Structures are given as structure tokens and as C-alpha cells.
Amino acid sequence: MASLASLVHTVGGCIHQKNGPQLRSLLRLDDSPTQEAVFQSWHANPRWNPAAAASRLPEDWSDFLAHHWACIMELQKGQREKAYDQIVATLQPFIKIFREDPDDWLVGPMHAVVHNLRGVAEAADEELQAAGKPASKLGDCGDQLRKCFSVALQAPGNRGKKLAALDIVNVSIKTYFKLNTLRLCKNLTRTVDSRQFAPFESFPKSQKVTYKFYLGRLAIFDENYQEARESLEYALRHCPRSAATSKALILKYLVPVQLLAGTLPSRQLVQQYHLDQYLPLMEAMKRGDLALFDATMEKQQFQFIQEEPSKAAQIPLSWVQAALKSQLQSNPTPGAFDQELEWEMDEVECVCANLIHRKYVRGYISHKNKVMVVAKSDPFPPLSSISPVDT
């Protein structure tokens, strides 16, 4: 049975010997010996204060670990919002320790800290939502992650500390995807490409694969399919053979990008990773069967949209242009001139702008990206709610 005294002794040894890997393991919220020691302490004494036990550790470390163990205690009690407050309180002392230590052994523990922060933020938001309150902790988590990223990027005293940065970038991008605030990813990706960042090849393979996966997804969002393909293919190529779940996730986005480029993945690969929804499209492309292609898209369009939910609220203006052209061709007005009319993109934007102005559509037009961004909730109000008179 793990005791608190033994935990304090082990943590103290890690700090003294600068054993980053072992300390990183001890800082995981699901570390069994740590969980057992904390549980036994507050279960034996409901008024147990972690600060008293942590006071035997070096300054700043005692403050950090007191809040860390208090976070675990609150999680065990089911108080996830309180646990988030405690995990946020660990950041100031840890960032101070990271900044002042002349060595780079704290890179691993920094990874544990940022993953803990995000995990508890999500759990706290679930608790808040269940109570009918606004979910605000994951948004705050993004702000806290920026503090960690800043100190890792500065690498005070040792350039090796920069190797903490890419994992923080990955956790941050994952957070922004969850919040659907992808615009915040741009500064991160630009920094990764800058001279200020450590060389990309110097980071662990797992972190590089994760980053390229998210970079590919961001490129899909921007409709930059060539970059998306290159990034996702990098992620797939460097993903460990045993990581079947990760490979399936990468292929979920890579396969449609490859199809857009006219490249057909093997049937065996698609079936192996349970992406059978693409088989009819592949067959249609292979045979040049437009009818099968249209029928498949009509049947499975909702499923395809769900695979990139951040795009679900964006309607490419080219789709509207095609619909207007189709309508013109199917209902031609008399005269050869009318049948040859084409809808220019400026005219399409004008039509969409009028629909938005007259409140037939709730949204706005992104001229730069050539899309109409519609509200995720009730984007097309009932006609009964709309006045035919201009407002």
C-alpha cells in the first residue's frame, strides 16, 4: 500500500536527482501510487491539508505539489470544478521552477502538467454543463496553455527546454478544435515554422505525428488540400505499425483528401480501418460512373459532413453557383441567349447577401474564403417567421 510519506520521499528524490521521466509519471493524474496515497490521507482525515505534507519538499515545489495533490483529492471527491481551480494554481509555481532551473530535465514534467490541465478542464466543463451552467474552463485552459508555451519557447537558461514546446502546441490545437476556435491555431503553426522554434526533427516522433495530423486537419478547413495531403501522409508514414487506432483516425481524413486529388487508396486498406463508406465513391471514380457518385453523395452527405464538423457551418459559394446554374438549365426562359447565361461569383455573393439581409439565412459571407458561414443553430428560419417586406 502506497503511503504519503513514501510518495513525498520518492518525489523528493526525483527533484534532487533531476529524474524527469520518473517525476513525469508521478505527476500523471492516473498514477496509481499517487492516487492511493492521496486517497488514504484524506479518507483517514477529512480535514487533511496537502500543504502540510508538501512542506517537506523544496520551496516552490511544495506549493506546486500541494495544489497538485489537492486537485487529485477533489477529483476523487467528484468535485471537478474545484479540481480545475487547484490544477490552475499549480501553474505559477511550476512555471517559476521551469524558468529558474538551469537544466532541461523538466521538459517531461511540463508535458504532464499541460495534459493534466486540459483533462481536468474538460471534466470541469462536463460538471458545469450538467448543472446547467456555462462551460468556461476549457476556454480558460487555452489561456493557461499560452503561459506554458511562452516559457517553453523562451527556454531560459537552456535551449533544451524548447523541446517542451511542440507538445504544448498539440494540446493547445486539440483544445481549439474542441472549442471550434481554429483561428487561434494560426499563430501557433507560424511559430512552429519560425527560427524561434527548435528544429522540427529534434522532437519525439509521437509529437511530430500528432502535430502533422492536426496540421492536415487545419489545411482541410482552409481547403488547402495539397498541404493537407502532405501533412496527413507524413503522419501516416511515421505512425507506429502497432498504433491501429491512430492510423484509422489519420486515414479518416486522408482518404477523402486523396479522393479529391483523384488518388484511390487500396480497397484492402479502406476495409482494414473500417472506412467502408468510401467504397462506393471509389468504385464510382474507378468506373467513371457519375450516377453512382451522385447517388452515394446524396445518401451519405450527412455522414461525410459529420467527419469534419468544423466545416458543417460553411457552405462554399461554388455550391450555390452550381445550384443556380442547374436551376437555370432545368427551367430555361425562351431565347437562346437566356440559356447561355452563367452565374458569376460576384452575382452569387449578391444573391447570398440578399438572402442574409432578408433574414432567409442566418449567417455572413466570407469573401476571402468564398464561403457562406451559416449559424450552427437554426441557420434557415421557417418562412412563416420572415417578413416579405425589406427591413
Side-chain angles (χ1 to χ4, degrees):
M1 180 181 296
S3 68
L4 189 68
S6 133
L7 177 62
V8 172
H9 177 76
T10 304
V11 169
C14 290
I15 296 169
H16 178 72
Q17 298 166 16
K18 298 194 173 185
N19 187 337
Q22 186 179 9
L23 183 59
R24 177 183 183 178
S25 177
L26 290 169
L27 292 179
R28 288 171 55 97
L29 293 177
D30 59 356
D31 178 68
S32 297
T34 302
Q35 284 208 352
E36 186 177 349
V38 170
F39 178 80
Q40 292 296 334
S41 297
W42 71 263
H43 191 68
N45 177 13
R47 301 179 65 182
W48 174 67
N49 183 359
S55 64
R56 287 174 271 174
L57 295 167
E59 190 178 1
D60 292 327
W61 281 107
S62 60
D63 190 17
F64 165 71
L65 285 157
H67 289 296
H68 177 72
W69 292 335
C71 170
I72 294 175
M73 178 177 66
E74 297 297 350
L75 287 174
Q76 291 176 347
K77 292 180 178 180
Q79 301 292 327
R80 291 174 282 181
E81 187 179 1
K82 289 183 179 179
Y84 181 74
D85 293 338
Q86 291 292 343
I87 206 71
V88 169
T90 66
L91 294 183
Q92 184 175 343
F94 184 79
I95 287 174
K96 183 173 183 288
I97 293 165
F98 188 91
R99 182 183 291 113
E100 294 179 354
D101 196 292
D103 298 319
D104 60 3
W105 71 283
L106 289 169
V107 167
M110 172 67 88
H111 295 161
V113 168
V114 298
H115 283 273
N116 290 347
L117 177 69
R118 188 186 183 283
V120 178
E122 277 203 283
D125 275 351
E126 289 174 3
E127 179 182 273
L128 288 167
Q129 287 177 320
K133 299 178 182 178
S136 59
K137 300 307 181 184
L138 197 60
D140 180 76
C141 172
D143 296 334
Q144 304 299 335
L145 287 169
R146 281 192 281 275
K147 299 175 185 177
C148 299
F149 181 63
S150 177
V151 72
L153 198 60
Q154 293 167 9
N158 192 311
R159 290 184 61 83
K161 293 179 181 179
K162 286 181 178 287
L163 294 182
L166 187 60
D167 191 52
I168 301 173
V169 168
N170 290 337
V171 174
S172 299
I173 292 178
K174 184 177 182 181
T175 300
Y176 297 147
F177 263 100
K178 181 77 172 182
L179 293 169
N180 199 23
T181 53
L182 301 190
R183 67 186 186 281
L184 299 177
C185 299
K186 296 295 184 182
N187 287 337
L188 292 172
T189 57
R190 279 196 290 265
T191 303
V192 173
D193 291 335
S194 71
R195 294 180 180 178
Q196 187 181 7
F197 212 74
F200 188 73
E201 290 306 316
S202 62
F203 290 94
K205 182 183 290 187
S206 60
Q207 293 178 23
K208 291 186 291 186
V209 167
T210 300
Y211 177 74
K212 287 292 188 178
F213 167 71
Y214 282 124
L215 197 64
R217 289 188 63 187
L218 288 169
I220 292 173
F221 182 81
D222 290 335
E223 298 182 9
N224 187 343
Y225 298 117
Q226 180 60 32
E227 181 180 341
R229 182 176 180 178
E230 292 172 359
S231 296
L232 293 169
E233 285 181 347
Y234 177 101
L236 183 65
R237 191 165 57 249
H238 292 86
C239 192
R241 290 184 178 181
S242 59
T245 302
S246 297
K247 283 190 172 184
L249 191 56
I250 295 167
L251 285 164
K252 175 183 174 180
Y253 297 97
L254 178 56
V255 168
V257 170
Q258 288 177 327
L259 293 177
L260 277 170
T263 301
L264 299 181
S266 72
R267 187 182 185 90
Q268 179 184 0
L269 181 71
V270 169
Q271 290 178 321
Q272 180 182 352
Y273 291 99
H274 309 292
L275 297 170
D276 303 73
Q277 66 269 29
Y278 292 109
L279 290 174
L281 284 180
M282 292 166 56
E283 185 63 24
M285 293 174 68
K286 186 176 180 180
R287 288 163 29 189
D289 189 336
L290 186 59
L292 176 59
F293 184 91
D294 288 342
T296 303
M297 290 300 294
E298 179 70 22
K299 181 180 179 181
Q300 299 186 178
Q301 60 180 329
F302 180 75
Q303 182 180 3
F304 292 152
I305 289 173
Q306 287 297 98
E307 292 187 1
E308 189 53 70
S310 59
K311 300 288 288 181
Q314 294 195 27
I315 301 174
L317 292 179
S318 59
W319 292 7
V320 182
Q321 185 182 39
L324 291 170
K325 181 179 179 181
S326 174
Q327 181 69 15
L328 183 67
Q329 291 173 341
S330 61
N331 297 284
T333 54
F337 175 76
D338 293 319
Q339 295 182 39
E340 295 174 1
L341 283 175
E342 292 285 344
W343 283 92
E344 299 294 336
M345 189 56 72
D346 288 345
E347 295 175 296
V348 174
E349 287 193 30
C350 184
V351 169
C352 292
N354 274 306
L355 289 171
I356 293 170
H357 173 70
R358 292 171 181 266
K359 298 182 172 56
Y360 288 104
V361 179
R362 294 175 60 232
Y364 64 91
I365 293 171
S366 172
H367 176 76
K368 178 183 176 183
N369 295 318
K370 300 296 182 186
V371 297
M372 180 166 59
V373 183
V374 299
K376 289 194 173 183
S377 174
D378 194 23
F380 307 108
L383 291 177
S384 59
S385 68
I386 300 167
S387 171
V389 181
D390 287 346
T391 57

